[in-house]
Amino acid sequence: MTLEIALLVAIILFAVAAFAMEWMPMDVVALTCLGLLLAFSLVTPRQAVSGFSNPAVITVMMMFILSGALVQSGLVAKIGYRLTRVAGADRWRASVLLLLLTGGISAFLNNTAAVAVMMPVAIQLSRHFRFSPSKILLPLSFTGIFGGTCLLIGTSTNLLVSALAEESPVGEFSMFEFFYLGGVFLVVGLFYNIFVVMRFIPSRSIISSLTRKYHLRGFLTELRVSPGSRLVGRTVVQEQVSERFEMNVLEILRGKRKIYQDIRNTPLEVDDVLLVRGSMEDIVAFKEHHGLLLLTDFKLTDRDLSDELTILAEVQVSPTARFIGRTLKEMDFRKQFGCFVLALGRTGELISKKVASIPIHQWDTLLVFGPKSRIEALTEREDFLALTERELKLHLSPRWWLGALIIPLVVLAAALGFMSILKASILGAVALLVLRGINIQQAYQAIDWSVIILLAAILPLGIAMHNTGLAKIIGDSMVPLGTRLGPVALVSVVYLATTLLTSIFSNNATAVLMVPIALTAAGDLGIDPKPLLMAVAFAASASFMTPVGYQTNAMVFGPGNYRFLDFLKFGTPLTLIFWLLATLLIPRIWPL
């Protein structure tokens, strides 16, 4: 093994470990790998930046804009709620209709955007029929994943493999190239979701009790200001309550009047009732130090915290949020948004102590409390995705029809061969901007820049594999398998290796890694590379066994209160089913 190959293997192992252990955000990992490739001269500077002009990267960017216009129009959410209402009082029918709609939408929109817009619908459905969101959110994620494999534009993985194939004798894939196997995956996956996941997955969270879900009932209580208290005439800021006791005053009840704005600068009066949040140790110390009276020994619930003025709500941090990596204290969340964060959920870990000092990650779920108007304004921002506990406003934007018209035209133009998908998507995005179906700020916000950076920065890894000869070494090592057991076995092995790698690695990074290997193995055996490339494309998207392998899994992990074992238990059988189907059907749909 040459020094160059050894260095490249070390970089790949670092990337796998960094993705799996979440040492850094995925796009930072990709940029780090790019920097290492440059530092060790495994790629040239021109090759290092080639990913930023790759057709797949530009197409994915344009599809984000197209998807964003359709989502912001309100049409998708409106259709979702209308469809679930058609089911009437039948919970199962409503759930099935929701999954069918999600699968269909995911084929045309970016599947992450499709799941994001359907999550509030799913949670509202669980509240209406009084069942745990965990019964529907995992099936929703799985459906978004395999629904996205049906068309070329359904997922960035398909577009990426198609772009890489264009540089080989195979050429780019057509719009409906993936539909034959993707349609089978969609039907089989829906049956699996309906008859296995929805029936047997445990009820992990109860939507009717957010305080119980976040284990907050022991941290919320009421204190009355007694006549001799040193708080009388003083404000929360003057007494440095948050700093000295690591607790927050959420609300002041003065007679029948509730004070929930500018609490920090409100002088306290005798008999004011303070709703406070903190550890019991801090609450007791605060009570004793300021001569307060503990009103109750019972624990507060959602009903105690919600009325016509203030509400308790759950929101999720969007991957495009501008404050990712900053703490609530650094961004002064309370002053900026006018509400409190009571607790934070992250990949199954519920954090209720010292929340203000924890850096925010994408897909974190926040339990917020505050004025209803402020909470509604919060959920309208691009930084957050509304999950529960608010009246959903299903208003169509004035130009809602533009997205509904332009996206089918883009698909039709590419499918009929009038123009490439790159050209069609660019013209579609430009048309939306010119016709004001979306403004330029909304277009920037619709683009998931972490995905774009990840794609552009990880593509040179495939170039480095070709430059160093690593792809040839791995591809050549697979030839004896194809010679002894036949090319069908090779397709099966490539699919299995890809789907296992994508469970811990980024789906797009896995595709970049496996495509050169598949092309080399096919060339050495003298067979058509397309079946192997299709195995890579479908397997790279088939990430069901872990919550970190695909964005939609990470999205539902917190709101569904899932455990890692849930993905392993219900994702592994689905992975095996798809592996067997791919082994049987890929050689028949795309002959070797």
Side-chain angles (χ1 to χ4, degrees):
M1 181 182 292
T2 66
L3 178 60
E4 286 186 337
I5 292 178
L7 288 171
L8 182 56
V9 169
I11 292 171
I12 292 172
L13 291 176
F14 159 76
V16 172
F19 278 122
M21 303 302 293
E22 298 185 49
W23 293 338
M24 297 177 283
M26 289 194 300
D27 45 345
V28 177
V29 174
L31 286 171
T32 303
C33 292
L34 179 61
L36 291 172
L37 292 176
L38 266 175
F40 293 110
S41 300
L42 299 179
V43 294
T44 66
R46 183 177 293 275
Q47 290 172 333
V49 300
S50 62
F52 291 92
S53 61
N54 186 278
V57 177
I58 306 302
T59 303
V60 169
M61 189 184 299
M62 296 302 106
M63 291 310 301
F64 272 130
I65 296 175
L66 292 171
S67 299
L70 191 56
V71 168
Q72 290 179 22
S73 71
L75 179 63
V76 176
K78 196 174 186 69
I79 292 173
Y81 281 98
R82 287 280 178 89
L83 201 60
T84 53
R85 286 180 181 177
V86 170
D90 192 325
R91 163 194 163 184
W92 285 99
R93 187 188 304 166
S95 300
V96 171
L97 287 174
L98 178 63
L99 294 183
L100 286 171
L101 179 62
T102 303
I105 291 173
S106 296
F108 293 90
L109 297 185
N110 175 273
N111 48 15
T112 303
V115 171
V117 79
M118 286 295 129
M119 275 178 62
V121 183
I123 293 174
Q124 189 76 4
L125 193 70
S126 68
R127 292 178 61 202
H128 178 73
F129 289 104
R130 303 188 66 80
F131 66 90
S132 171
S134 60
K135 291 285 188 180
I136 187 66
L137 290 180
L138 189 61
L140 186 76
S141 174
F142 286 177
T143 302
I145 292 173
F146 51 68
T149 64
C150 290
L151 296 182
L152 175 64
I153 62 173
T155 173
S156 58
T157 309
N158 287 357
L159 288 166
L160 182 58
V161 174
S162 177
L164 294 172
E166 189 177 1
E167 300 172 3
S168 72
V170 177
E172 66 176 351
F173 298 138
S174 66
M175 178 64 68
F176 293 99
E177 186 86 49
F178 296 86
F179 181 75
Y180 306 104
L181 184 59
V184 174
F185 277 11
L186 179 59
V187 172
V188 173
L190 283 170
F191 271 94
Y192 179 81
N193 275 336
I194 294 165
F195 295 106
V196 177
V197 184
M198 288 171 58
R199 288 183 180 275
F200 298 109
I201 195 167
S203 296
R204 293 293 188 199
S205 60
I206 306 300
I207 198 64
S208 60
S209 182
L210 290 174
T211 51
R212 180 167 40 174
K213 172 182 174 180
Y214 283 87
H215 308 300
L216 281 178
R217 296 181 63 178
F219 302 101
L220 293 165
T221 192
E222 293 177 317
L223 298 167
R224 184 185 296 276
V225 179
S226 62
S229 172
R230 58 186 296 171
L231 278 180
V232 176
R234 303 277 291 174
T235 68
V236 172
V237 171
Q238 289 172 334
E239 289 297 313
Q240 297 181 315
V241 172
S242 298
E243 293 79 3
R244 296 170 63 184
F245 298 97
E246 293 187 3
M247 55 182 290
N248 288 315
V249 178
L250 307 179
E251 190 175 81
I252 301 172
L253 180 61
R254 183 170 293 170
K256 293 184 179 181
R257 175 190 168 204
K258 281 190 175 183
I259 302 173
Y260 47 82
Q261 292 183 340
D262 200 25
I263 295 174
R264 296 188 296 179
N265 299 312
T266 301
L268 297 173
E269 300 179 1
V270 175
D271 290 333
D272 279 353
V273 176
L274 312 180
L275 174 64
V276 298
R277 173 194 172 275
S279 68
M280 284 310 299
E281 293 83 359
D282 283 320
I283 290 174
V284 171
F286 177 61
K287 167 184 173 293
E288 297 296 333
H289 186 267
H290 290 90
L292 304 175
L293 302 175
L294 188 63
L295 277 190
T296 64
D297 290 326
F298 64 83
K299 298 170 182 176
L300 298 174
T301 64
D302 296 7
R303 182 174 297 179
D304 301 313
L305 296 174
S306 301
D307 59 19
E308 68 279 0
L309 298 177
T310 57
I311 59 174
L312 191 66
E314 193 177 26
V315 299
Q316 189 169 53
V317 178
S318 164
T320 60
R322 287 162 288 184
F323 49 78
I324 289 175
R326 301 174 63 194
T327 66
L328 296 173
K329 184 181 293 185
E330 288 172 345
M331 59 189 291
D332 200 355
F333 188 95
R334 179 175 176 180
K335 183 176 181 180
Q336 184 175 353
F337 299 110
C339 50
F340 294 90
V341 176
L342 301 184
L344 181 150
R346 175 179 301 161
T347 58
E349 179 185 5
L350 298 177
I351 305 165
S352 55
K353 292 185 178 181
K354 298 183 179 179
V355 176
S357 302
I358 299 171
I360 298 296
H361 293 179
Q362 63 179 15
W363 307 126
D364 280 350
T365 53
L366 307 178
L367 183 65
V368 294
F369 170 76
K372 186 176 181 180
S373 60
R374 292 298 188 96
I375 299 294
E376 289 180 346
L378 184 75
T379 57
E380 294 295 331
R381 294 175 61 96
E382 298 292 335
D383 298 322
F384 301 98
L385 303 175
L387 294 181
T388 60
E389 301 297 318
R390 77 182 184 104
E391 293 295 326
L392 290 157
K393 299 178 180 179
L394 302 177
H395 299 305
L396 294 177
S397 66
R399 298 176 184 267
W400 63 267
W401 51 272
L402 277 171
L405 175 65
I406 289 175
I407 290 180
L409 288 177
V410 169
V411 173
L412 193 62
L416 296 179
F418 293 154
M419 59 186 72
S420 68
I421 183 60
L422 174 62
K423 183 177 179 179
S425 62
I426 291 176
L427 291 178
V430 170
L432 278 172
L433 288 166
V434 171
L435 297 175
R436 292 182 295 171
I438 186 173
N439 61 46
I440 191 64
Q441 288 78 22
Q442 290 172 328
Y444 288 142
Q445 291 169 349
I447 298 170
D448 189 341
W449 292 102
S450 63
V451 172
I452 301 302
I453 296 298
L454 170 65
L455 282 171
I458 209 69
L459 276 167
L461 185 63
I463 299 174
M465 291 182 66
H466 176 76
N467 290 348
T468 61
L470 180 60
K472 181 169 177 56
I473 291 174
I474 300 175
D476 289 347
S477 68
M478 302 175 73
V479 172
L481 174 66
T483 303
R484 289 199 310 269
L485 301 179
V488 174
L490 184 59
V491 170
S492 183
V493 169
V494 167
Y495 185 97
L496 183 60
T498 305
T499 197
L500 291 176
L501 189 58
T502 199
S503 296
I504 57 173
F505 210 39
S506 156
N507 54 313
N508 292 314
T510 299
V512 169
L513 199 66
M514 293 300 297
V515 164
I517 296 172
L519 289 171
T520 301
D524 289 346
L525 279 173
I527 61 175
D528 187 349
K530 182 174 282 190
L532 294 180
L533 293 179
M534 283 297 173
V536 170
F538 279 98
S541 292
S543 181
F544 308 112
M545 296 190 294
T546 67
V548 298
Y550 210 93
Q551 276 192 320
T552 59
N553 288 344
M555 288 168 62
V556 303
F557 198 105
N561 202 24
Y562 293 113
R563 300 174 185 173
F564 191 94
L565 187 61
D566 292 329
F567 285 84
L568 201 60
K569 185 185 297 183
F570 292 95
T572 301
L574 185 59
T575 299
L576 294 175
I577 290 170
F578 280 7
W579 172 46
L580 293 174
L581 286 172
T583 302
L584 293 172
L585 297 178
I586 287 178
R588 287 170 172 78
I589 299 173
W590 299 279
L592 291 158

